Amino acid sequence: RLKAEYLMYQDSNNRTRDEGDATMKAHVLPLALSLVGVILFYLIYTGHRFRPNKSGRHESYRALVFKGLATLCAAALGAYGAWLSPTPPHMLLAAGLVICTAADVILGIDFMIGMAVFGLGHAAYSLSYVLASPPGLPSLIGFLALSAFVLLGVVPWLRKHRAGKPVAPFAAYAMVLAVMLALAIPQKPVLLAGAFLFVASDAMLAGRVIAHVQGKAYSRICLLLYYLAQYLIAASTLAG
């Protein structure tokens, strides 16, 4: 009997995986178009980003437009997925992608406001995760571990590199990321991968903005991880 139940369980998992694969194959064109758009505008943006302009700034407003367009390509994919399957989790993911598109541009104008807007995007993602797959023990363990890392690792690091300057906004944002990543643990693998890459990208961004880590390659990798994160989050709406 146990063997029969196990075989039925395996068969159910295989059918679910096959259905998910078939769903993704049915949307190869929008997935490909979105990815091409993300990569294209990423390359155009980085070309402008690292080329000084007449004002002496390394990031012109024209460059910010291309930066936002790269995220918008991912947001369009998420909106497409939400249109095909208008469930609350998918709608919230699409909304989060749009919010992050705006935050992308705002971040280049006013970093603190941009970070706050990104926080709203993460809130939309987190609520989507809760509705899609309510958190359980793995999410709780993940949250406790990430929270401990923020309190024992990130906060002292912030105090060291921001001597005499406020650290609370950055610590609060780190906790938002911890919640988002912990809630992503029981989600689809593509969604978890996107959440993880988002946190990795933000960790690198913190190194550049707060610890003043320099280098074009470093900044390019940071941005690439971010755009891949948003693309994977958007693609999850088509993952079945």
Side-chain angles (χ1 to χ4, degrees):
R1 180 183 173 183
L2 289 175
K3 183 178 181 180
E5 290 180 353
Y6 175 75
L7 290 174
M8 288 177 63
Y9 172 76
Q10 288 291 91
D11 184 59
S12 176
N13 278 352
N14 289 336
R15 283 201 306 271
T16 300
R17 183 167 58 250
D18 290 343
E19 288 171 1
D21 291 343
T23 301
M24 293 294 281
K25 289 177 181 178
H27 303 295
V28 168
L29 182 58
L31 285 166
L33 288 175
S34 175
L35 183 59
V36 169
V38 168
I39 294 174
L40 175 63
F41 288 119
Y42 158 76
L43 292 174
I44 295 174
Y45 167 66
T46 52
H48 281 273
R49 168 72 175 80
F50 299 112
R51 183 172 60 199
N53 53 57
K54 293 180 180 179
S55 66
R57 297 172 68 248
H58 282 270
E59 191 161 21
S60 66
Y61 292 115
R62 182 190 302 174
L64 288 176
V65 171
F66 292 119
K67 183 184 182 187
L69 284 173
T71 311
L72 187 61
C73 288
L77 180 64
Y80 172 72
W83 175 69
L84 290 178
S85 178
T87 62
H90 286 173
M91 298 294 284
L92 283 166
L93 283 183
L97 286 160
V98 172
I99 293 171
C100 288
T101 300
D104 240 349
V105 177
I106 296 171
L107 198 71
I109 300 171
D110 188 306
F111 187 88
M112 298 304 289
I113 294 177
M115 185 170 66
V117 177
F118 265 119
L120 294 177
H122 288 304
Y125 290 160
S126 297
L127 183 55
S128 170
Y129 300 162
V130 170
L131 294 177
S133 182
L137 184 59
S139 288
L140 177 59
I141 294 173
F143 173 70
L144 292 175
L146 290 167
S147 297
F149 176 74
V150 170
L151 294 175
L152 301 177
V154 175
V155 171
W157 180 81
L158 286 169
R159 287 174 176 166
K160 174 184 177 181
H161 291 282
R162 289 184 61 81
K165 298 178 182 179
V167 302
F170 295 94
Y173 183 77
M175 287 301 298
V176 170
L177 287 177
V179 171
M180 188 273 294
L181 183 55
L183 291 173
I185 291 173
Q187 308 302 320
K188 305 167 188 174
V190 65
L191 195 50
L192 176 57
F196 178 80
L197 289 180
F198 208 134
V199 173
S201 172
D202 276 354
M204 292 187 69
L205 180 61
R208 182 170 66 83
V209 173
I210 298 172
H212 306 295
V213 178
Q214 302 297 322
K216 291 183 180 180
Y218 183 91
S219 295
R220 288 177 187 274
I221 293 171
C222 175
L223 276 167
L224 184 60
L225 291 179
Y226 165 72
Y227 288 128
L228 287 176
Q230 296 287 45
Y231 175 78
L232 291 176
I233 290 172
S236 73
T237 61
L238 298 174

